[in-house]
Amino acid sequence: MLTTLSLMLLLSQQDVDQTELERIVVTGARPLSSTELVKDPKAPQQPLPAHDGGDYLKAIPGFSLIRKGGTSGDPVFRGAAGSRLTINSDDQMVLGGCSGRMDPPTAYINPQNYDQIRIIKGPQTVLYGPAAGTVLFERTSYQFEPNQSPGQVSVVGGSWGRLEGTADYTAGNDNGFWRLNASYSEADNYEDGAGVEVNSAYQRWGVDTQVGWTPDDDTVVLLTLGQSGAEAAYADRAMDGALFDRTSASLRWRESYPVSWLAELDTQVYFGYVDHVMDNYSLRTFTPTMAMPNPSVKNPDRYTRGGRMVATIDSDFWSKLQLGIDHQYHSHRERMTMNQPVKPYEERSRLADAVIEQTGLFAEASFAPTVRSKLFGGVRLDNWKAQDQRQFLGMMHAPRPNPTMDERRDDDLISAFVRYEYTVDAHQWYAGIGRAERFPDFWELIGNQNMSTTSASSFHTSSELTHQLDVGYHYRQSEVEWILSGFYNRVDDFILIENGMMMNPDLVRAINAESWGGEAMITYRPSASWLLDASFAYTHGSNLTDERPLAQQPPLELKLGAEYKYHDWTFAGLWRVVDNQHRVAIGQGNIVGNDFKETAGFGTLALNAHWRISNSWRISFGVDNVLDKLYAEHLSTAGAMVAGFEQTTQVNEPGRTFWFKLDYHL
């Protein structure tokens, strides 16, 4: 294989393109607007190319990752995790099935299958729902372009048995197109910086296909079908993910100027189904415990349907005016067995435990009062309905009646924002105020068998209300670019999760909280060959009710990057420095994790190179954690006792990792 690869590289050198090479260093993202960042997930990346959405987002300033093993980490933005982040794939709401967050939304997303990733900071849009941040994985191609490359194939290999292949191919004509995205990835258990093996192996695959009908330049009808599967071992819990099956379908119609006053009408309906199996024997050596003396299985599933319609109005007064409606429906079921050999879970009936439904109306617009200034604003009205369908709470061997069985909720929530931007030459300033009213998610109401301060059920947990100020400054010239952004928020009825004591369920409480912080990114090009960049991110959260730090907040982080271009080569390095975190609230957290210790700071170094061999071929290779540092992220989960593995306090990060990536553009 190496001989064949070498031959391909040598043969392809004859058609090297002398155009500017792609950037490698990933200390930030390109600004799309004052509050938005955009990433090209197919571009060369540092460190090791990501295999799922959470792994990719952690490289962007302000984001962290709560690691559970080798895959399916939960992304955190400015200390906000879970449903405080809106994560959409092709404008579809993505939710996992596991009540213990084995499969966050990003677990079902391979970044390289998308054209761009957009990040909207703070509650500065109402188009996708109330959130502390919005992440959009988008495919932006809606017409077949015969002059563009029909696709790309990539192969990634690395330490710990890492192997990944992705393919993106498009064919068509003026009447329509067909696009195929496919991916496969696998890895063995990795070792941390001390050489300790971590239960972290995984295997993932996914296929998405799109069929588009384009009768004219203004119309596209797009059918998207998706299927994926996975299995993953975890180092932080008593069970592994033996099965993650996803099926999805979407039908979308986009029409430009169907009438003179309607610039665009975008309509979409979608369907999703997730089937998930977790057990204590498939991916690890079965070891009896007091809680699970026999091979045990839980098998939840989630059915989703939804849709949205957005109309962009052509107006002489508004720079842009969008009106829309969206809807989503989720039903969740579960079945389990505490003795798989005697009572197989496959023979048990699924029991419905929750139905959650949302309908929203929204309007968002921009207006330019002067040549240099712009005003943005939006308002959103959401109606949320939920039903608790659980008859009993707790495990099968010790069930107890559910005091909120068959009870329903019907909440009306309001979210809004207004933002002012001012631009002079290369300088831009902005300030925005946002209100985000969030309905409690499935994991806070139902999923983890939580209790409240007044009941054995947390079904009537109050909605969370955030008021946030966002400010920023952007300066860009040919040699230097600055991006500064800051925020302050106050959260009423912040939904806090406290660890259950003495085998009791976790407790859900409503508190008042505040947080502040921000990010800074600078890029400096002293010459045509050199580029230097740096980023800084910090979040400071406080629990005002308990007068203590707010749990699950990331520490201060600094990244310093450099790259040097020489002919068709680019050499790059990234030094990441993370401060210690002593502001903790032991036993408190969110649906993803909780604080259980203070953590020390650390620094890591990554080196890599990129060779553009020709117009079609390019190769990247590198070393992450060059110094083989033993470290764990502050937001990683606690290590669990897994048979055959040394238990650690936290789930440590991988040690020194070698990798390469080969890209071929068709």
Side-chain angles (χ1 to χ4, degrees):
M1 177 178 177
L2 290 176
T3 303
T4 304
L5 177 61
S6 300
L7 180 61
M8 288 190 298
L9 299 182
L10 290 172
L11 291 175
S12 60
Q13 289 186 60
Q14 59 185 353
D15 121 294
V16 172
D17 186 5
Q18 298 299 322
T19 58
E20 183 178 1
L21 304 183
E22 300 93 337
R23 287 199 55 202
I24 291 182
V25 176
V26 180
T27 63
R30 180 171 60 87
L32 192 63
S33 69
S34 60
T35 58
E36 293 187 37
L37 300 174
V38 65
K39 292 292 295 286
D40 177 4
K42 291 182 171 63
Q45 180 180 329
Q46 174 181 290
L48 172 68
H51 63 277
D52 70 15
D55 201 37
Y56 192 94
L57 291 174
K58 72 178 183 181
I60 300 173
F63 279 91
S64 307
L65 186 73
I66 299 180
R67 180 177 291 280
K68 302 187 285 282
T71 188
S72 303
D74 247 288
V76 181
F77 179 62
R78 293 175 169 175
S83 63
R84 294 185 178 102
L85 287 180
T86 293
I87 298 176
N88 281 6
S89 167
D90 284 332
D91 286 343
Q92 301 176 44
M93 177 63 68
V94 181
L95 290 177
C98 180
S99 58
R101 294 290 291 190
M102 278 189 177
D103 56 341
T106 47
Y108 296 96
I109 294 173
N110 187 309
Q112 287 200 93
N113 289 343
Y114 296 84
D115 298 322
Q116 69 176 23
I117 302 171
R118 274 198 298 146
I119 297 101
I120 303 173
K121 297 185 176 185
Q124 289 296 307
T125 182
V126 295
L127 299 180
Y128 309 98
T134 302
V135 181
L136 306 173
F137 292 84
E138 298 177 321
R139 296 182 177 95
T140 58
S141 177
Y142 295 104
Q143 296 282 344
F144 179 73
E145 299 290 344
N147 297 325
Q148 292 185 357
S149 167
Q152 178 178 339
V153 177
S154 299
V155 176
V156 175
S159 303
W160 331 119
R162 171 73 183 272
L163 178 64
E164 178 176 331
T166 61
D168 184 352
Y169 178 76
T170 303
N173 54 37
D174 292 340
N175 297 319
F177 64 90
W178 170 67
R179 183 175 183 179
L180 176 70
N181 294 105
S183 63
Y184 174 84
S185 60
E186 65 177 35
D188 300 328
N189 297 325
Y190 67 77
E191 294 181 0
D192 64 19
V196 175
E197 187 177 0
V198 177
N199 191 44
S200 56
Y202 63 86
Q203 184 181 65
R204 300 159 41 90
W205 64 271
V207 177
D208 290 280
T209 186
Q210 292 183 314
V211 179
W213 176 47
T214 55
D216 54 59
D217 292 339
D218 296 325
T219 306
V220 59
V221 179
L222 188 64
L223 175 65
T224 305
L225 303 174
Q227 184 73 47
S228 67
E231 62 179 31
Y234 293 110
D236 68 331
R237 59 196 67 201
M239 286 183 164
D240 298 312
L243 177 72
F244 300 95
D245 271 1
R246 173 192 65 94
T247 302
S248 64
S250 167
L251 182 62
R252 189 168 193 170
W253 169 46
R254 297 183 66 173
E255 182 80 18
S256 298
Y257 286 101
V259 294
S260 60
W261 53 269
L262 186 57
E264 182 182 78
L265 183 64
D266 188 353
T267 305
Q268 180 184 30
V269 292
Y270 59 86
F271 154 85
Y273 178 71
V274 170
D275 188 16
H276 168 49
V277 175
M278 61 189 105
D279 65 40
N280 62 350
Y281 60 87
S282 293
L283 303 179
R284 65 177 66 187
T285 302
F286 169 69
T287 303
T289 64
M290 291 184 62
M292 291 185 290
N294 302 301
S296 302
V297 183
K298 294 184 72 174
N299 177 209
D301 69 350
R302 181 186 298 275
Y303 167 75
T304 300
R305 67 171 183 257
R308 59 188 273 120
M309 178 183 292
V310 182
T312 303
I313 309 300
D314 193 341
S315 169
D316 294 333
F317 180 78
W318 302 102
S319 302
K320 189 174 186 179
L321 172 61
Q322 292 177 284
L323 307 175
I325 181 173
D326 55 20
H327 174 78
Q328 56 178 305
Y329 170 94
H330 303 275
S331 63
H332 191 273
R333 303 180 300 175
E334 193 165 284
R335 59 184 175 183
M336 62 181 297
T337 178
M338 301 299 291
N339 195 333
Q340 174 67 9
V342 177
K343 300 177 180 179
Y345 79 93
E346 297 92 340
E347 298 177 2
R348 292 182 173 271
S349 300
R350 298 183 190 266
L351 300 178
D353 55 17
V355 170
I356 299 178
E357 190 171 0
Q358 172 266 338
T359 301
L361 298 173
F362 53 87
E364 185 166 311
S366 59
F367 166 66
T370 68
V371 175
R372 294 180 174 178
S373 62
K374 208 165 189 179
L375 190 65
F376 298 80
V379 62
R380 180 181 185 92
L381 308 176
D382 283 302
N383 174 255
W384 286 86
K385 293 182 173 66
Q387 181 184 8
D388 187 352
Q389 298 178 309
R390 300 169 297 171
Q391 297 184 24
F392 299 97
L393 304 176
M395 301 294 287
M396 291 185 63
H397 56 72
R400 59 190 186 281
N402 177 17
T404 57
M405 181 182 66
D406 290 331
E407 291 191 11
R408 299 174 184 266
R409 293 184 56 165
D410 191 328
D411 292 23
D412 294 317
L413 309 179
I414 301 175
S415 301
F417 80 97
V418 62
R419 182 175 74 254
Y420 179 75
E421 298 181 358
Y422 187 74
T423 304
V424 178
D425 298 328
H427 306 269
Q428 183 185 67
W429 296 265
Y430 74 87
I433 299 175
R435 167 194 169 102
E437 197 166 8
R438 183 182 71 89
F439 188 76
D441 62 31
F442 166 81
W443 294 269
E444 292 160 339
L445 295 177
I446 303 288
N448 290 319
Q449 306 285 350
N450 297 322
M451 62 185 295
S452 70
T453 56
T454 59
S455 171
S457 166
S458 61
F459 182 68
H460 291 293
T461 298
S462 299
S463 296
E464 191 176 275
L465 177 59
T466 300
H467 290 93
Q468 180 163 314
L469 170 67
D470 284 279
V471 296
Y473 169 69
H474 184 197
Y475 172 78
R476 177 166 53 190
Q477 284 192 334
S478 58
E479 296 180 354
V480 179
E481 182 173 15
W482 282 86
I483 305 174
L484 306 175
S485 57
F487 74 97
Y488 169 82
N489 66 40
R490 166 67 186 252
V491 187
D492 297 321
D493 293 325
F494 181 95
I495 301 174
L496 184 73
I497 310 293
E498 292 190 343
N499 283 358
M501 304 300 291
M502 303 298 293
M503 300 299 290
N504 286 322
D506 289 346
L507 175 68
V508 178
R509 292 177 53 213
I511 64 167
N512 293 327
E514 69 175 7
S515 62
W516 55 270
E519 302 83 41
M521 292 180 281
I522 181 172
T523 301
Y524 174 54
R525 188 180 292 278
S527 69
S529 299
W530 280 97
L531 186 143
L532 308 174
D533 56 5
S535 71
F536 169 92
Y538 180 66
T539 299
H540 183 283
S542 299
N543 177 339
L544 302 178
T545 300
D546 298 338
E547 297 182 345
R548 63 188 305 192
L550 188 63
Q552 290 289 277
Q553 300 298 295
L556 182 150
E557 180 174 323
L558 174 67
K559 294 180 181 177
L560 300 173
E563 69 174 42
Y564 175 73
K565 294 181 180 180
Y566 181 75
H567 296 299
D568 308 311
W569 285 85
T570 303
F571 303 93
L574 176 64
W575 183 32
R576 177 172 175 246
V577 182
V578 179
D579 197 7
N580 56 44
Q581 181 59 286
H582 298 315
R583 300 190 73 257
V584 297
I586 305 300
Q588 294 184 345
N590 51 45
I591 62 172
V592 183
N594 57 77
D595 285 357
F596 57 91
K597 61 172 292 188
E598 297 181 3
T599 53
F602 61 86
T604 63
L605 177 66
L607 301 173
N608 66 73
H610 168 63
W611 179 24
R612 186 169 182 178
I613 307 163
S614 70
N615 289 336
S616 299
W617 292 91
R618 66 188 183 196
I619 187 169
S620 307
F621 48 90
V623 185
D624 296 346
N625 194 0
V626 174
L627 303 179
D628 207 17
K629 178 78 173 181
L630 173 63
Y631 73 102
E633 304 288 350
H634 172 70
L635 294 181
S636 71
T637 48
M641 180 65 73
V642 180
F645 294 85
E646 180 180 331
Q647 184 176 6
T648 57
T649 304
Q650 289 179 278
V651 179
N652 291 325
E653 295 295 301
R656 185 183 297 115
T657 304
F658 297 90
W659 60 270
F660 78 91
K661 182 185 180 190
L662 180 66
D663 293 298
Y664 175 65
H665 291 266
L666 303 176

